[in-house]
Amino acid sequence: MNNKSIIEIIAKAKDGQLLDKGEIIKLLNIKKVEELALLFKSAQEVRTNHFGKKIFAYGFVYFSTYCRNDCAFCYYRKSNMIERYRKNPNEVIAIAQSLADSGVNLIDLTMGEDIAYHNEDFKTVLSIASQIKEKTDLPIMISPGVISNKIIDKLSDVGIEWFALYQETHNRELFAKLRLHQSYDERMQAKLYAKEKGMLIEEGLLAGVGESVEDIADSILEMGRIGAMQVRVMSFVPQEGSPMKDIDTPDRLKELKIIAVMRLCYPNALIPASLDIDGIAGLEDRINAGANLITSIIPPKSGLMGVAQNRMDVDEGGRTIKEAAHILEKLGLEIATAKEYKEAYLE
Ligand code: SF4
C-alpha cells in the first residue's frame, strides 16, 4: 500500500524521480475531479518545460493491409474476409511527399505482416523507404511487425530512424489471448535488436482489453526499462469480424490518465495523441493530458486507411495538419517544424 498523497507523488515525478509501481497505480486510480485536474495540469507543465509550445506531427502511410497474423483485436487479422490493399511504390512515395509538403515531421510507414514482402526480404519496402528519405528529407518510422535480425540490419543500413513494434500488454497471459499464436519474446527481441542497431524504438499498450491497473503500471515501467523513446497508449475499439467485436470500447478517461502518467514518468518521450481512435475530435483531450505528438495524419482521398477507426475523418480531410494546427492554436500550441523535430530527437 502506498501512503504518499497524490500531491506528493506528482511532486516526486516533477522532481525528476522515477515513480515506483505503487505510485503509478495510485495515479492511475485517481477518481476525484480535483486530483484529475491536478494530474493533467502537471503533465502539461512537464511537457511545456521540455518542449515549450511545440507539438510534433507524423504522417501515416498504412501501405499494406495484408497480414499473416490473427490478432484477436484487429480488423486486418488474416481470418477476416475484408477488402485489402497493397499500395505500389510510386503511390506510397507520392503520398509521403504530399504529407511532407503539408508539414509533418516524420513519415510513419506501417504494414501488416505481409508475406509478399517477407518473401522478397523486404526489397520493395527498403526501396520505398530510401526513395522517401531522398525525396522528402524527413526521418522515417517503420512499423513492420516481427521481422528477422537480418531485415532489421537492412532497415538500419538504409538509415531508417525509428522502429515501432507494440506488445500491447506486458502480461504474458493476456498477450497470448490478444496476439494469438505469436511469441512474446520474439516480438520483444526484435524491438531490442533494433535498439541495439541504433534505431529509436516505440513501444505501445492497448487499453480496455482485459488488463488490470497493475498490468498498465507494469507496461509503463517496462517501456522505460527497454529505453523506448516513444510510448503509446490507444483505447481498444471493437472491430467488425474479429473475436473481440462485442467488447465495449473503454471510457476515454483511462487512456487520458495513462498519457498523463507516461508524461510524468518520461518527460522527454514522444507520447502520441492518436487521431485513429476518436478522429480529430479526440485531439484536444489527449493534448491536454500531456501528449506531444499527433499521429495518424492521413491525406484525404488517398485511399489509405487508419488502424482502429480505419475511415474516420480520413476522406473528409479531418486528419490533416491544417485541422490539427487549428485546434492547437486555440490551446496556445503549434506544430513543430521538421528541423525542430530533428534537433529534439535525432541530433
Ligand atoms: S495487429 Fe498487426 S500483426 Fe496483428 S493481425 Fe493486425 S495487422 Fe496483423
Side-chain angles (χ1 to χ4, degrees):
M1 185 63 194
N2 193 293
N3 291 322
K4 282 203 188 89
S5 70
I6 297 295
I7 293 178
E8 286 170 324
I9 296 171
I10 290 177
K12 178 180 171 183
K14 285 171 89 174
D15 190 41
Q17 299 178 57
L18 186 59
L19 302 183
D20 64 29
K21 186 171 170 181
E23 291 162 342
I24 290 174
I25 289 173
K26 201 153 176 180
L27 294 183
L28 293 170
N29 279 333
I30 289 180
K31 289 196 178 61
K32 287 187 191 151
V33 176
E34 60 275 22
E35 290 181 344
L36 277 174
L38 177 67
L39 176 70
F40 294 137
K41 187 169 145 274
S42 304
Q44 285 178 43
E45 279 168 15
V46 170
R47 183 190 63 213
T48 305
N49 286 344
H50 283 81
F51 303 99
K53 290 178 170 182
K54 301 294 175 176
I55 299 290
F56 303 105
Y58 287 0
F60 184 65
V61 190
Y62 194 6
F63 62 99
S64 171
T65 59
Y66 287 87
C67 188
R68 63 184 174 185
N69 287 333
D70 233 355
C71 299
F73 55 87
C74 180
Y75 181 66
Y76 301 101
R77 64 201 306 268
K78 72 173 177 203
S79 325
N80 221 4
M81 293 302 139
I82 55 169
E83 227 178 276
R84 298 178 191 264
Y85 63 76
R86 185 181 297 118
K87 295 284 178 191
N88 74 47
N90 289 339
E91 284 175 289
V92 180
I93 293 158
I95 292 164
Q97 184 67 62
S98 78
L99 283 164
D101 294 345
S102 78
V104 301
N105 305 147
L106 170 149
I107 304 295
D108 173 0
L109 291 177
T110 292
M111 52 178 277
E113 290 192 16
D114 185 343
I115 203 72
Y117 296 130
H118 282 262
N119 285 343
E120 48 149 46
D121 272 354
F122 270 53
K123 211 168 127 239
T124 306
V125 178
L126 289 160
S127 158
I128 289 172
S130 304
Q131 290 184 69
I132 290 175
K133 281 192 82 65
E134 197 186 307
K135 287 190 198 312
T136 67
D137 197 31
L138 288 182
I140 290 182
M141 168 180 274
I142 188 139
S143 311
V146 176
I147 51 177
S148 65
N149 289 356
K150 192 175 88 181
I151 295 174
I152 294 173
D153 288 343
K154 291 183 183 179
L155 297 175
S156 164
D157 289 348
V158 298
I160 293 176
E161 289 85 352
W162 282 92
F163 186 83
L165 190 63
Y166 316 126
Q167 299 298 110
E168 307 296 10
T169 177
H170 298 81
N171 172 330
R172 286 169 181 268
E173 256 174 58
L174 184 57
F175 180 95
K177 289 183 194 159
L178 296 175
R179 294 203 177 271
L180 306 176
H181 320 299
Q182 295 167 59
S183 159
Y184 181 99
D185 291 318
E186 212 184 310
R187 197 170 188 87
M188 184 55 86
Q189 283 317 313
K191 200 157 28 205
L192 295 178
Y193 183 73
K195 179 159 178 276
E196 204 180 301
K197 289 295 294 184
M199 296 172 91
L200 295 163
I201 55 170
E202 181 185 19
E203 176 62 295
L205 79 98
L206 202 50
V209 287
E211 76 286 355
S212 65
V213 70
E214 285 80 9
D215 292 336
I216 297 172
D218 285 337
S219 284
I220 293 174
L221 288 169
E222 185 68 355
M223 288 167 169
R225 194 191 66 76
I226 65 173
M229 280 305 292
Q230 185 166 317
V231 290
R232 181 221 76 170
V233 53
M234 275 174 71
S235 296
F236 165 73
V237 176
Q239 301 298 329
E240 210 41 57
S242 74
M244 292 171 68
K245 71 175 174 21
D246 296 323
I247 295 180
D248 286 338
T249 191
D251 187 304
R252 291 299 177 265
L253 190 54
K254 185 176 202 175
E255 181 185 326
L256 299 177
K257 284 198 275 188
I258 297 171
I259 289 175
V261 174
M262 285 173 166
R263 173 59 64 212
L264 290 176
C265 289
Y266 307 121
N268 290 326
L270 282 155
I271 302 180
S274 174
L275 303 183
D276 208 38
I277 307 155
D278 299 313
I280 197 77
L283 179 60
E284 184 171 338
D285 282 350
R286 290 172 173 85
I287 293 292
N288 283 340
N292 69 331
L293 167 66
I294 304 169
T295 56
S296 287
I297 300 272
I298 303 180
K301 314 279 182 205
S302 57
L304 289 182
M305 287 191 162
V307 177
Q309 296 279 15
N310 52 42
R311 293 187 195 278
M312 183 184 270
D313 286 349
V314 176
D315 281 346
E316 300 85 348
R319 293 206 204 175
T320 58
I321 284 280
K322 202 170 147 209
E323 285 295 315
H326 185 61
I327 290 168
L328 291 184
E329 199 185 327
K330 285 192 285 178
L331 302 174
L333 300 165
E334 58 195 38
I335 307 262
T337 62
K339 185 166 172 282
E340 287 165 336
Y341 176 83
K342 283 182 190 169
E343 283 167 4
Y345 286 100
L346 301 173
E347 284 172 3

